[in-house]
Amino acid sequence: MLLPLTFLAYASIQDISESGSLSADVLESNFNSEQITSFLSWKAEDGLHHTAAGSSTGSVYVFIFHPPSLHSRKRPTITLPSDHNLPSAPPSPGRSPSHSRRHSRAIQSPSLLSLNQALINVPAQARVVSGVSREQVEAPKNYVDFEDEPGRLKDLLKSSSKHERPSWERTLADAIIPSFDRGVVIEQSPAQTSPTLLPTLPTTASRSTNKNKDDPSSLLSATNSPAFSLRLPSTPPSPRQLSPASDRSTFGRTALKASIILDPCGPGHAASAMVHIETKDLLVVLQESGKLSAFDMRDGTCVATCQCTTTRSYEDQFWKWDTLRMLHSGDKTYLILACASTSQPPFAETFGLADEPSDSKAHLNLFELSVGDPDGVDPTRFERLASDGWQIDGPSTGVDLLMNDADGSLQLVYIASTNHLVTRCLTIIPAYEIQARRRSFTSSPAYSQEDQKSLMIPNPFKAFGSRSAENVALLGQSHGYVTEQESPSAAVTGDTGRVRFDEEESRGIVTSSPRLSLGGFTARYAGLNERIIGLVWSNTEIMGFTAEEQESKSLTTFPVPFSSRGTIQGVHFLDDESFVVLSETICHYYIRYVDADNNPTTPSPGTSFITRAIQTVATSAGPSLMMSWSRTSPHDIFALGQSRSGQKEVLIHMIHPRLDVSSKHHRRRLWRTQGSSSGPTVGGATLTSILPLELNLVLLGYSDGRIRQASLPRLLHRRHHVQSTPLLTASSSPTSGSNVLFEKVSDTKLPSSVLHMHLVRKDRTGERYILGGTDDGGIAIWALESLKLRARFTPFIVPLKHVAQVLQSNESAGPLRGSLLCVSGDGTIAVISMEDFEMLYLIPGASSPIARIYAGGDDNSRATLIYADGSARIWDMKSGEFIRAMTEEKAKELVDAGGWINISLDNLELSSISISSISGSTEPVSLCTLLLSLDRFLKFTSVNVKSSGQLLSSSVKHSNATLSQLRAVLSVLLTPGLSPDIDEICESRLGIFPSSGMVGVSSILATTIFHHDQPIYAWSTSAKVSADRIIAIVSVLRTLSLAEELSDDCQTVITFYSTSLAHVVGASYQAPDVAYLATMWFNSSNDVRQAAKTLFDAGIVRLSDEESIALVDAWQHHLPCLQPSTEKESAKASLALFICGYMAAEKYNLLSTSSLTDISKSIALYLHDESSAHRGLAIDLCARGFQTWQHYIDAMAILRALYTLATNSRKEIISAQNVGPQARLAVLHIASSNTPLFMTTLTLDILNPKTLDQRKAVMQLVAFMIRKRPLILYPNLPRLMEAVVKSLDPNSTASRDAVLDSATDIIGHVVKTFPTVDFHMATQRLAVGTSEGAFIMYDLKTATQLYVLEGHKRRPAACTFSPDGRRIVTVSLEEGVVLVWKVGSSFTSFFNPGAPPRQGHSGSQPFKTLKFNVGDEAHMTVAGTLEWVRFEWPAERTVRLHIRESVLTFST
């Protein structure tokens, strides 16, 4: 389990104070400096607007905004409209702007109302009239149809013109507002819930609490008043349902919800395209490197990922994946089409390759995205449907995927390089058919390549850039590519995957304009799926077409009149007859079909018609970086812009073409960054690299050329807390401000930024050094202990990229022994001696980056360098001469011949195993994020805490480094502000103070950093995020509680976070997902497993009956007993048993008989399978719910299996699971809860075992039970001892010999533990007392029962043999009597077997009866008698009875 810990206070520092910056500024400035490569918007089910911006470094920024009202001028806001937004015509029958402003002031809160009344000085009577007139104006808005009664509406609205606000009033209001850019909102008001977008929020309570007799809105009726909502102060809000009326976070700086850092990230991994699946709230992100990821936008976690190509060759990076298309193909399945265009490689600019025009080919791949269920049974996943070699002759931006709603057929539509429209039908083959076909092919002897020719693909790659003839030849020879002229349908053979392709069909030329450089393409089925309508655009022009799907297959084009100063950023169909164009001018168009006489007509097959695009609305939106339109909110267009001061901002254009001109366009700025850039502050430095080595040793490189040392606790604490806490080492002293944040600072300031840092070690002395690269191509080496600069070189023109170390002991390395190989981004290698830090060689680079390095060859003096383009070079390291060039295949043949060693790049000394950085990170947020491995961290810290073995007083709490690390992590995980009492415990007793750091969530190849400013939001994101956080909190607190002094307080905090969050957070609380908690039990270390299991148990108790039944119904079909043999041990089957088993153990009365039967059978299946990896789970379930399972399976068989596991010591049986102790605990639990069945099984197995090993194992278990749970055996002790005695039958020699040791051990433990049993060694007699008062005498020589002594009427307490074995003394405290019996052998015993010896008088009375009185001790419990009652023989006929502290002496 990885925990992303972010410490933004260290993103930038000041030279003077070395103080950290504010995290909010870092987040916003980081986004402001990013180059945005994709932008998307959508409206979620909760009514909130979301936008996502993908950056060139592989990050995705997610924003959330409350939807502004269409009639936004009714709100108490002041806007300065720009010139191009002023209405060009007089106000038409809608709401005039002046009326809207006056109306908005009438419904605001009393405090704002009084201020406005003071400014305007409206008399009270006028206010009443204004309120009444507003009622009359608003009623038609709710009930009048604009199209049916336009005249009546105009007359009605004319009466409101007398209330228009005078010009002096507007001037006075504007005079008190500071100057801002024109066209943006000065003050964001609470957004009104629009009836057309969101259901109206309840406002009854709000009206009742805000009524005022001076407020004209109070005169309105509750049914006809305008819909507006006020925040209810009584309930803490959910982050997704915050009332916008009182929280600035909706439009304020906290609109930035999360930053998603993709892996890989950095240059060449830009988030180039995104699509949103509205029904599932999934965001699919395509990176230009070919990685496809799906994110759950409830919490920003990655739920599925895949690669667009499976080929591992470096040439795949010459394709830039930049286009996504999505189709809904089923209930939970979506087709994702990813497209790539030919591109220069990432290193083209570095190597100075010519920027040749790329060809028009596009690389495609098709995926099926299966959305998982909410119970976690089936996870979300991608499945590749097509092969790697699918290409088309056309640009990637000119591709679309269509589905015919009538028959479900798929059609690929694209614009070829010749501007022809090409269509191709696709068929998705079911997976089971593919598997059957493969089995058929492999079994058929006639199978050949001819059977695979259903997919025809062109040459997949093309050589890039400008190369020498040698390099071009090498590249072609290396990979066997053949250059040929191919038509769009020409291809080579290959595997088609699950896609069957029909023949391509050219439908005609879309445009003949030579100026049309394709910028985008969109198409859809129109009418009754009888034609395809599409739009093609360049930066400035748009062309439309219609293609018939009937017999004629004709294609007609039509122009789209468009004029704008900016480039076209997107064209989207609203429906079959309208579309919108996004540019500096947002244009809406209506598609009209007319005949030859220009009369409207309905297009139908066989009829001729003319298609025209008629512009209905053209709205000036101004320049923007990117724009986005969403089908979920068709009237809202989001724009990502940049102000004149360089600040990025998110704007919304609300356009309703059906309203009047004055109300068509509303422009709002929703958010703006606070800083203009993220560069270094004046006199300061920004973080440029990070190297975590240990928990207490993290190195940070800054743009000022210095490296600084800090520790994890120091990074995560607040600045003011760091200053007040003695975190410096003993040798350090706070002599300067730099020591406040850093333990050490390098002594020399380099003239350039430190970009890369690597740990190297001098193998002769063991000294460690830091090797770093700078942005000017330099290399610097610092001593780790002192951070003193040891050497500096500037050998490169581009920064350092890789470092490899060759140990001195490696003799095959020749001249490279004991050296460092520093590789720059252009492939140049600097060889530096580790002994004296002297540069030995400089090997020039080639035309592509280095892939592998080998050393050895003749005299161990050569180096073979293999490059990413498939070429290789051999150098002589002694003379420094270039020997020859060859292909990669030839180089591998040379290396495989022997005598070469592989020098791994970046395979240096292992740094910390607990923390790591995000690889490839370049921007501040990712650089300031460390990934903490929770399992390894807890393993390391728990050992240290246990080994300390000392009580930690409050005065030295911070002196323990391990405790400081635990406190630092908890300071980020805990959410102060929820409970003052818990906050007090954390700060004053546990030493955990609030932190400025943030904790995110790590998912599949992605890290999500959340931005929320209130603790309640941390528990309102999603069930998975809550589960991750609470698991981390509980497991870390458990480790901290190992310090004895902190144990009780830690347990208090654990209890609060485990049980009280739902009550404290309120309705917005997202309870931890129980299915996810179960998954963590399987995939984590022991510390995290215990925390997950505790939280899982609490979670299933919290579930309602309906939720519990639904959860079991979702998982029970995956139980192991219902799966085929190959799937019984699968992760899904074991997880199903975990969830259903513990649910049944807790709430068995809710489950059906069939469910309980399947669960019981699954437990038995795992328990009896010796090779099962899940026997531990089955054992624990047996202990938890045995009383339930025993009704559906063979209970005795389960007990016998547990007996075997509890006692088996054979080495071949012992596994890594170590289930023995767990099985013994389960046996103890079952014995306590179901003693009769336990004892029955136990005695039967002793008397009639299947094997001798089984009898021996059971007897070992009896000895274990005697030691651990004697009270369980006490009522059944006579029965048990009878079985033990019979197992010693002398007639069965083999059996007696096998169990003799175990039986002797059992008898010894019984005699030592139970006073009512005694054994006389010389005579081999065993006396066993019963709860009824009798004593049974056994002869172990013959393994028979001799007789029964019946003298006591109540439960006896103890018995003892005399030293000579001729007397036995028994006592009963309840009767207050001691009985003496003669038990020696006599002559009469031979004539009356089974009868007790004669006691010296007639009858069966004891030889002596001695009474006594011990008062209350007569009512001593069984447990008391086991501990406090015992006999002692000081002489052969004298016995002493010890009862607690009392001693009674009797003569026998």
Side-chain angles (χ1 to χ4, degrees):
M1 179 178 178
L2 293 179
L3 283 180
L5 304 176
T6 304
F7 43 92
L8 294 178
Y10 284 76
S12 63
I13 57 174
Q14 299 292 329
D15 268 351
I16 299 176
S17 64
E18 298 279 358
S19 60
S21 61
L22 296 177
S23 61
D25 296 338
V26 175
L27 295 172
E28 296 188 3
S29 61
N30 183 68
F31 173 73
N32 199 61
S33 64
E34 289 272 27
Q35 179 184 352
I36 303 302
T37 53
S38 55
F39 185 66
L40 187 67
S41 65
W42 68 93
K43 187 176 182 180
E45 293 182 355
D46 56 11
L48 298 179
H49 282 303
H50 294 63
T51 63
S55 74
S56 60
T57 59
S59 295
V60 177
Y61 298 86
V62 182
F63 298 83
I64 294 184
F65 308 101
H66 197 283
S69 170
L70 171 64
H71 303 280
S72 57
R73 293 178 182 266
K74 294 165 55 179
R75 313 298 299 176
T77 62
I78 303 175
T79 62
L80 296 175
S82 58
D83 295 338
H84 58 267
N85 287 336
L86 291 176
S88 57
S92 62
R95 190 180 321 279
S96 65
S98 60
H99 174 77
S100 298
R101 281 190 290 269
R102 179 203 53 76
H103 176 67
S104 68
R105 293 180 180 275
I107 65 170
Q108 58 190 341
S109 63
S111 60
L112 292 177
L113 180 66
S114 61
L115 171 62
N116 294 331
Q117 289 173 354
L119 289 174
I120 304 174
N121 196 21
V122 180
Q125 183 178 2
R127 290 198 299 274
V128 174
V129 174
S130 175
V132 174
S133 65
R134 181 179 59 198
E135 173 72 15
Q136 296 171 351
V137 173
E138 276 300 300
K141 173 199 163 199
N142 291 329
Y143 302 103
V144 175
D145 188 275
F146 287 89
E147 296 179 353
D148 295 341
E149 299 180 292
R152 180 181 176 186
L153 181 62
K154 289 181 181 180
D155 296 338
L156 184 63
L157 294 179
K158 285 180 182 178
S159 61
S160 65
S161 60
K162 63 182 178 179
H163 302 289
E164 187 167 346
R165 196 172 61 166
S167 60
W168 68 266
E169 178 186 333
R170 184 165 55 253
T171 304
L172 178 60
D174 296 340
I176 64 174
I177 302 297
S179 177
F180 284 84
D181 293 343
R182 299 181 65 186
V184 297
V185 178
I186 302 305
E187 177 188 355
Q188 289 294 356
S189 64
Q192 177 181 343
T193 304
S194 173
T196 62
L197 300 178
L198 279 174
T200 305
L201 297 176
T203 57
T204 306
S206 300
R207 294 191 191 100
S208 64
T209 57
N210 290 279
K211 286 184 178 181
N212 190 296
K213 63 181 180 180
D214 294 330
D215 185 3
S217 64
S218 63
L219 300 176
L220 302 177
S221 66
T223 57
N224 295 333
S225 60
F228 66 99
S229 62
L230 298 177
R231 183 174 179 179
L232 300 178
S234 59
T235 304
S238 166
R240 301 179 65 85
Q241 298 177 353
L242 282 176
S243 174
S246 60
D247 195 346
R248 185 179 176 270
S249 64
T250 303
F251 297 102
R253 295 169 62 182
T254 54
L256 181 59
K257 174 188 177 182
S259 297
I260 303 175
I261 305 171
L262 305 177
D263 184 11
C265 63
H269 301 285
S272 53
M274 298 184 290
V275 294
H276 182 258
I277 301 176
E278 292 85 1
T279 55
K280 304 299 180 182
D281 202 13
L282 291 179
L283 180 69
V284 181
V285 180
L286 176 66
Q287 292 180 261
E288 65 179 32
S289 56
K291 181 190 171 188
L292 190 64
S293 306
F295 293 88
D296 187 344
M297 295 317 294
R298 294 174 300 174
D299 51 22
T301 55
C302 184
V303 293
T305 184
C306 66
Q307 277 294 134
C308 290
T309 176
T310 58
T311 307
R312 298 300 181 186
S313 61
Y314 197 90
E315 283 76 2
D316 288 323
Q317 295 198 24
F318 302 166
W319 294 90
K320 178 182 178 181
W321 295 86
D322 54 10
T323 305
L324 276 180
R325 297 288 186 263
M326 185 268 294
L327 275 181
H328 189 187
S329 58
D331 182 27
K332 293 184 178 181
T333 58
Y334 298 82
L335 293 179
I336 306 294
L337 179 67
C339 313
S341 58
T342 55
S343 174
Q344 291 291 332
F347 50 83
E349 182 178 355
T350 302
F351 289 96
L353 299 178
D355 189 12
E356 293 183 352
S358 59
D359 59 21
S360 58
K361 291 187 181 297
H363 194 168
L364 309 182
N365 214 326
L366 187 64
F367 300 88
E368 184 178 69
L369 175 62
S370 301
V371 181
D373 61 287
D375 295 310
V377 178
D378 297 311
T380 301
R381 62 185 179 91
F382 284 107
E383 181 182 358
R384 184 195 313 275
L385 301 181
S387 65
D388 285 339
W390 183 13
Q391 296 182 25
I392 62 171
D393 184 18
S396 62
T397 54
V399 184
D400 210 343
L401 187 64
L402 306 180
M403 175 178 285
N404 191 318
D405 296 333
D407 56 11
S409 61
L410 298 174
Q411 192 159 192
L412 179 72
V413 183
Y414 69 91
I415 306 298
S417 59
T418 57
N419 287 340
H420 282 73
L421 176 68
V422 180
T423 61
R424 193 174 192 181
C425 291
L426 311 178
T427 303
I428 307 299
I429 305 173
Y432 66 85
E433 183 177 334
I434 291 291
Q435 297 173 358
R437 180 182 301 179
R438 287 174 178 171
R439 289 194 296 267
S440 162
F441 283 170
T442 54
S443 61
S444 173
Y447 172 64
S448 66
Q449 289 185 351
E450 297 297 326
D451 298 323
Q452 296 182 335
K453 291 185 178 180
S454 57
L455 173 62
M456 306 296 288
I457 57 176
N459 190 1
F461 301 113
K462 183 176 180 181
F464 63 89
S466 175
R467 300 176 180 270
S468 65
E470 175 195 33
N471 287 333
V472 173
L474 290 177
L475 181 61
Q477 295 170 15
S478 172
H479 300 279
Y481 296 140
V482 179
T483 304
E484 59 183 17
Q485 297 293 331
E486 299 174 290
S487 64
S489 61
V492 296
T493 59
D495 184 13
T496 63
R498 285 180 53 196
V499 182
R500 181 184 294 121
F501 297 88
D502 291 349
E503 291 295 326
E504 291 185 345
E505 186 175 359
S506 178
R507 310 294 291 273
I509 297 179
V510 175
T511 177
S512 58
S513 173
R515 299 180 301 169
L516 186 65
S517 176
L518 187 63
F521 168 64
T522 183
R524 64 177 290 153
Y525 278 105
L528 299 176
N529 297 308
E530 71 270 6
R531 66 182 182 279
I532 296 175
I533 183 170
L535 298 165
V536 180
W537 67 90
S538 65
N539 288 337
T540 57
E541 298 181 10
I542 307 175
M543 180 64 69
F545 67 85
T546 57
E548 296 296 326
E549 287 292 283
Q550 304 301 324
E551 295 181 359
S552 63
K553 299 287 185 178
S554 61
L555 182 139
T556 59
T557 62
F558 59 91
V560 177
F562 176 76
S563 177
S564 176
R565 292 177 296 177
T567 61
I568 298 175
Q569 301 196 28
V571 179
H572 303 276
F573 279 104
L574 303 178
D575 49 42
D576 291 353
E577 299 180 346
S578 61
F579 61 92
V580 59
V581 179
L582 307 183
S583 182
E584 287 193 18
T585 302
I586 302 174
C587 301
H588 284 75
Y589 292 86
Y590 174 73
I591 299 176
R592 184 180 182 186
Y593 302 98
V594 298
D595 56 18
D597 298 328
N598 203 29
N599 296 320
T601 184
T602 300
S604 60
T607 62
S608 61
F609 57 88
I610 302 172
T611 308
R612 292 181 177 176
I614 302 174
Q615 187 179 104
T616 58
V617 175
T619 305
S620 178
S624 60
L625 301 176
M626 286 191 172
M627 304 182 77
S628 175
W629 173 87
S630 170
R631 192 168 300 279
T632 56
S633 183
H635 301 306
D636 300 323
I637 296 172
F638 283 80
L640 178 66
Q642 194 164 17
S643 65
R644 296 185 183 96
S645 58
Q647 299 166 294
K648 282 192 176 70
E649 55 189 11
V650 179
L651 304 103
I652 183 173
H653 301 274
M654 297 170 287
I655 303 174
H656 287 246
R658 306 187 72 176
L659 300 183
D660 61 283
V661 175
S662 63
S663 300
K664 282 179 183 176
H665 179 217
H666 294 266
R667 180 170 179 258
R668 287 284 187 92
R669 186 189 74 217
L670 300 177
W671 180 82
R672 173 185 284 181
T673 56
Q674 301 301 306
S676 59
S677 68
S678 63
T681 56
V682 178
T686 57
L687 184 65
T688 53
S689 63
I690 186 169
L691 178 63
L693 299 178
E694 301 171 4
L695 292 172
N696 284 329
L697 180 55
V698 180
L699 297 177
L700 303 98
Y702 282 87
S703 59
D704 62 353
R706 294 183 186 271
I707 62 173
R708 294 167 170 83
Q709 177 182 328
S711 61
L712 182 65
R714 187 162 299 192
L715 293 174
L716 297 180
H717 278 80
R718 282 189 186 274
R719 217 177 329 155
H720 65 78
H721 181 57
V722 171
Q723 292 172 347
S724 61
T725 305
L727 290 177
L728 299 177
T729 59
S731 59
S732 304
S733 59
T735 57
S736 64
S738 63
N739 283 328
V740 175
L741 289 180
F742 304 104
E743 296 175 357
K744 297 176 185 176
V745 180
S746 59
D747 60 339
T748 305
K749 183 176 182 180
L750 301 182
S752 52
S753 303
V754 181
L755 297 184
H756 299 277
M757 291 187 292
H758 306 268
L759 176 65
V760 296
R761 182 191 294 269
K762 184 180 295 186
D763 54 348
R764 185 178 61 84
T765 62
E767 297 176 277
R768 296 189 296 174
Y769 296 88
I770 301 299
L771 187 147
T774 57
D775 60 358
D776 62 353
I779 299 174
I781 301 176
W782 296 270
L784 178 59
E785 296 300 324
S786 61
L787 296 188
K788 290 184 178 180
L789 186 65
R790 297 303 188 190
R792 183 172 182 268
F793 315 94
T794 309
F796 307 133
I797 59 174
V798 294
L800 176 73
K801 188 173 184 179
H802 302 288
V803 176
Q805 182 175 3
V806 183
L807 298 179
Q808 184 70 32
S809 57
N810 200 330
E811 297 181 356
S812 300
L816 297 180
R817 292 172 55 190
S819 63
L820 296 171
L821 304 185
C822 303
V823 185
S824 70
D826 62 359
T828 304
I829 302 178
V831 182
I832 300 174
S833 171
M834 272 295 293
E835 193 62 33
D836 51 7
F837 301 120
E838 177 185 358
M839 183 176 294
L840 303 178
Y841 314 102
L842 190 65
I843 305 175
S847 57
S848 67
I850 285 182
R852 288 179 296 278
I853 302 177
Y854 295 93
D858 297 341
D859 299 329
N860 295 330
S861 62
R862 296 189 176 183
T864 298
L865 312 179
I866 299 179
Y867 296 90
D869 61 358
S871 63
R873 293 180 179 181
I874 299 180
W875 293 80
D876 189 321
M877 301 309 301
K878 287 185 178 179
S879 61
E881 295 179 354
F882 170 73
I883 298 178
R884 66 179 182 271
M886 60 180 62
T887 63
E888 181 179 357
E889 283 75 12
K890 294 294 184 180
K892 286 184 177 179
E893 292 178 5
L894 180 64
V895 171
D896 292 341
W900 297 82
I901 62 169
N902 181 19
I903 301 177
S904 301
L905 298 177
D906 295 330
N907 188 18
L908 302 176
E909 181 178 345
L910 183 65
S911 57
S912 174
I913 61 174
S914 298
I915 54 174
S916 60
S917 58
I918 300 176
S919 68
S921 56
T922 56
E923 43 87 21
V925 173
S926 57
L927 284 172
C928 289
T929 300
L930 291 178
L931 302 178
L932 179 70
S933 174
L934 187 61
D935 302 274
R936 294 175 178 177
F937 172 73
L938 294 177
K939 182 179 180 181
F940 169 78
T941 52
S942 61
V943 170
N944 288 349
V945 173
K946 291 177 182 177
S947 62
S948 61
Q950 58 180 350
L951 293 178
L952 301 168
S953 63
S954 59
S955 60
V956 296
K957 281 183 181 180
H958 297 288
S959 63
N960 188 296
T962 301
L963 294 184
S964 297
Q965 294 164 4
L966 292 168
R967 290 189 177 101
V969 174
L970 285 171
S971 68
V972 180
L973 291 173
L974 299 179
T975 51
L978 298 178
S979 169
D981 296 334
I982 296 298
D983 294 346
E984 175 65 21
I985 292 175
C986 292
E987 294 185 12
S988 63
R989 300 183 185 179
L990 298 179
I992 305 171
F993 295 87
S995 171
S996 61
M998 299 183 296
V999 62
V1001 60
S1002 181
S1003 50
I1004 309 172
L1005 296 180
T1007 300
T1008 305
I1009 307 299
F1010 302 106
H1011 310 150
H1012 38 62
D1013 52 3
Q1014 295 189 21
I1016 194 175
Y1017 293 168
W1019 305 105
S1020 306
T1021 304
S1022 73
K1024 180 184 181 299
V1025 173
S1026 296
D1028 267 340
R1029 192 165 193 141
I1030 190 63
I1031 286 176
I1033 289 175
V1034 172
S1035 56
V1036 177
L1037 280 171
R1038 281 178 180 268
T1039 304
L1040 185 64
S1041 67
L1042 295 177
E1044 184 177 345
E1045 191 182 69
L1046 308 177
S1047 178
D1048 293 340
D1049 293 323
C1050 286
Q1051 190 58 48
T1052 301
V1053 180
I1054 289 175
T1055 304
F1056 170 78
Y1057 279 95
S1058 301
T1059 61
S1060 303
L1061 285 177
H1063 173 73
V1064 174
V1065 176
S1068 63
Y1069 175 62
Q1070 295 288 331
D1073 183 7
V1074 292
Y1076 179 74
L1077 292 173
T1079 305
M1080 294 301 297
W1081 186 86
F1082 283 94
N1083 301 329
S1084 303
S1085 64
N1086 186 55
D1087 294 319
V1088 179
R1089 280 166 62 105
Q1090 291 181 2
K1093 184 60 171 61
T1094 301
L1095 296 169
F1096 177 85
D1097 292 339
I1100 60 176
V1101 171
R1102 185 186 62 252
L1103 293 177
S1104 64
D1105 292 349
E1106 294 77 11
E1107 292 172 332
S1108 302
I1109 295 173
L1111 185 64
V1112 173
D1113 289 343
W1115 282 95
Q1116 66 177 355
H1117 303 293
H1118 303 278
L1119 288 168
C1121 69
L1122 304 178
Q1123 307 307 308
S1125 57
T1126 56
E1127 298 293 328
K1128 293 183 186 298
E1129 288 288 318
S1130 65
K1132 181 182 291 187
S1134 58
L1135 186 59
L1137 179 58
F1138 185 96
I1139 294 174
C1140 297
Y1142 286 109
M1143 184 69 74
E1146 186 68 31
K1147 302 179 179 181
Y1148 65 91
N1149 57 323
L1150 299 179
L1151 275 62
S1152 64
T1153 302
S1154 61
S1155 298
L1156 293 173
T1157 302
D1158 292 339
I1159 295 171
S1160 303
K1161 290 180 178 179
S1162 298
I1163 295 173
L1165 177 67
Y1166 279 166
L1167 191 64
H1168 294 304
D1169 186 0
E1170 292 186 0
S1171 62
S1172 175
H1174 306 294
R1175 299 184 90 177
L1177 171 62
I1179 292 171
D1180 194 53
L1181 285 172
C1182 286
R1184 285 284 296 269
F1186 184 81
Q1187 290 183 334
T1188 301
W1189 322 136
Q1190 66 179 347
H1191 301 294
Y1192 305 98
I1193 52 177
D1194 187 348
M1196 286 189 173
I1198 295 295
L1199 278 174
R1200 291 187 178 107
L1202 290 174
Y1203 295 163
T1204 304
L1205 292 174
T1207 59
N1208 206 320
S1209 59
R1210 288 187 300 164
K1211 293 183 179 180
E1212 62 270 18
I1213 301 298
I1214 299 175
S1215 64
Q1217 301 180 66
N1218 193 22
V1219 296
Q1222 190 177 3
R1224 288 191 284 272
L1225 291 177
V1227 168
L1228 293 178
H1229 185 84
I1230 295 173
S1232 302
S1233 60
N1234 201 331
T1235 304
L1237 177 64
F1238 172 78
M1239 293 303 305
T1240 299
T1241 307
L1242 201 65
T1243 53
L1244 286 176
D1245 284 355
I1246 295 176
L1247 295 175
N1248 303 299
K1250 293 182 178 179
T1251 63
L1252 294 179
D1253 289 339
Q1254 181 180 355
R1255 172 179 282 177
K1256 184 178 180 180
V1258 172
M1259 298 185 75
Q1260 290 175 352
L1261 182 65
V1262 171
F1264 169 76
M1265 291 293 298
I1266 293 171
R1267 293 193 303 268
K1268 297 295 184 180
R1269 295 288 190 276
L1271 293 179
I1272 295 177
L1273 298 179
Y1274 183 82
N1276 301 276
L1277 199 57
R1279 186 178 176 187
L1280 176 64
M1281 297 311 298
E1282 180 184 10
V1284 172
V1285 170
K1286 290 183 177 181
S1287 68
L1288 297 175
D1289 186 359
N1291 296 321
S1292 178
T1293 306
S1295 174
R1296 181 184 178 97
D1297 293 342
V1299 301
L1300 183 60
D1301 293 338
S1302 298
T1304 302
D1305 189 35
I1306 290 176
I1307 294 174
H1309 283 293
V1310 169
V1311 172
K1312 183 178 179 180
T1313 305
F1314 299 98
T1316 55
V1317 179
D1318 198 18
F1319 175 70
H1320 190 263
M1321 179 68 69
T1323 60
Q1324 292 290 297
R1325 300 288 179 89
L1326 178 69
V1328 180
T1330 67
S1331 57
E1332 292 81 11
F1335 280 85
I1336 306 173
M1337 189 70 68
Y1338 294 98
D1339 183 6
L1340 297 188
K1341 294 179 182 179
T1342 59
T1344 58
Q1345 175 182 315
L1346 296 177
Y1347 45 79
V1348 179
L1349 302 175
E1350 297 178 325
H1352 293 288
K1353 301 295 186 280
R1354 294 189 181 183
R1355 176 178 64 88
C1359 71
T1360 180
F1361 281 101
S1362 63
D1364 58 2
R1366 303 182 64 82
R1367 300 281 189 276
I1368 185 171
V1369 180
T1370 63
V1371 60
S1372 173
L1373 297 183
E1374 296 180 4
E1375 291 181 281
V1377 63
V1378 170
L1379 302 181
V1380 181
W1381 304 82
K1382 290 182 179 181
V1383 293
S1385 299
S1386 62
F1387 182 75
T1388 57
S1389 300
F1390 293 99
F1391 301 97
N1392 189 15
R1398 295 181 60 85
Q1399 303 298 322
H1401 50 76
S1402 61
S1404 60
Q1405 297 299 318
F1407 176 63
K1408 288 184 179 180
T1409 301
L1410 308 172
K1411 295 184 178 181
F1412 63 89
N1413 186 355
V1414 291
D1416 293 338
E1417 299 292 357
H1419 306 290
M1420 185 180 295
T1421 62
V1422 174
T1425 59
L1426 298 184
E1427 182 177 3
W1428 300 108
V1429 178
R1430 63 185 178 88
F1431 280 106
E1432 178 186 4
W1433 289 87
E1436 192 150 323
R1437 290 290 178 263
T1438 303
V1439 63
R1440 291 175 182 171
L1441 174 62
H1442 296 264
I1443 306 175
R1444 207 180 294 268
E1445 297 179 356
S1446 303
V1447 178
L1448 303 177
T1449 303
F1450 303 95
S1451 176
T1452 62

